[in-house]
Amino acid sequence: MSLEQKRWIVTGAGGMLGTDLVALLRARGAQVTALGRQDLDVTDPGQVAELIRDVDVIVNCAAWTAVDDAEGLEDEAFTLNAVAPQLLARAARLAGARMVHVSTDYVFAGDASRPYAESAALAPRSAYGRTKAAGEWAVRVECPDHLVVRTAWLYGAHGPCFPRTMARLAGERDALTVVADQVGQPTWTADLADLLVRLVDAGAPAGTYHGTSSGETSWHGFTQEIVRTLGKDPAMVRETTSADFPRPAPRPAYSVLGHEALLAAGVEPIGHWAERWTVAAPTVLAGG
């Protein structure tokens, strides 16, 4: 069945990733039902059973993403990040649909020195990470035909994100101080949306994949590129450490994810983060 013939449902369709995914699918001529929080309570078994039917692919972009708030509200985060994916995956199985679930680098401890393999042991250090790890487990149990796609350091045009915040601050200040001891892969939501579609289009085997840009950098390095895009001197970005910015939830020091499963499935990973930022910057910084 071609992409255009498949019937898609996207939950969390009003978010940064969901918005880009729905736009891409519609541009490709796919039949897509976009469900935002006002359309579907993904934690309500009755609503999920009623609305998730007559579908070939379900992509779950709905999630609790307030990392620090989850430390004090883990039950609520668990409901959205674990119970909801379980309900959606069950509905996908009953409908004979493929379940695509978006997860996170926070399921790992963040203390590695080489890119995390898709099969690496999970060791979340935060409430957010624990709830997302539980969501992965629920999807695998409930729907054998699943694609769990972990991502990290997302930015996009349709919501608050790191590059837009840094661009605003760069216009207000003479210098920026940014942590240099957290390393990851800045990833554009439009690129992740494209990867999700390519995975489904390729008929990739069920399993776990990593949907991040290639290469790696620190938040400091990323900010230097953002500032350079604005025509400002990257030297205005000063280095600091995570210890100077204590937060309720620990941040992974190393969030680089490997892409071996994509390559094994014959699906090209997203390009280098700096190259993709150059392409994304005009749209992201304009906010649309």
Side-chain angles (χ1 to χ4, degrees), residues 50-268:
E50 176 66 26
L51 290 178
I52 306 299
R53 56 176 63 185
D54 300 324
V55 60
D56 300 301
V57 184
I58 298 169
V59 185
N60 180 35
C61 299
W64 176 296
T65 57
V67 174
D68 288 325
D69 290 347
E71 290 299 307
L73 298 168
E74 189 164 353
D75 288 349
E76 289 87 341
F78 185 89
T79 299
L80 192 53
N81 287 345
V83 175
Q86 178 186 33
L87 296 174
L88 292 167
R90 182 179 301 162
R93 173 171 52 80
L94 293 174
R98 167 152 273 200
M99 174 73 184
V100 183
H101 177 64
V102 180
S103 191
T104 174
D105 60 303
Y106 274 73
V107 299
F108 297 121
D111 57 1
S113 57
R114 65 174 63 184
Y116 282 97
E118 294 82 356
S119 59
L122 306 190
R125 298 177 57 228
S126 65
Y128 169 68
R130 288 190 293 271
T131 63
K132 291 295 287 184
E136 289 189 8
W137 177 84
V139 167
R140 294 186 186 104
V141 169
E142 287 287 354
C143 185
D145 189 13
H146 64 264
L147 300 174
V148 171
V149 183
R150 299 186 185 118
T151 192
W153 290 31
L154 281 184
Y155 65 85
H158 305 290
C161 64
F162 183 81
R164 291 168 66 184
T165 298
M166 291 298 104
R168 175 179 57 79
L169 293 175
E172 299 171 354
R173 303 178 183 178
D174 295 327
L176 300 175
T177 303
V178 184
V179 296
D181 59 353
Q182 294 176 25
V183 176
Q185 299 156 306
T187 302
W188 186 19
T189 48
D191 280 340
L192 177 56
D194 175 71
L195 177 64
L196 297 178
V197 172
R198 288 191 289 118
L199 273 167
V200 172
D201 214 18
T208 302
Y209 297 86
H210 287 164
T212 51
S213 296
S214 302
E216 62 183 66
T217 190
S218 65
W219 288 117
H220 174 267
F222 187 24
T223 305
Q224 286 187 310
E225 289 303 311
I226 295 166
V227 166
R228 185 177 284 111
T229 299
L230 300 172
K232 295 179 176 290
D233 185 355
M236 73 177 292
V237 186
R238 301 170 181 170
E239 292 189 11
T240 190
T241 66
S242 301
D244 291 328
F245 288 91
R247 307 289 292 276
R251 266 52 177 178
Y254 189 81
S255 289
V256 180
L257 306 182
H259 304 124
E260 289 79 7
L262 288 175
L263 295 171
V267 176
E268 187 71 20

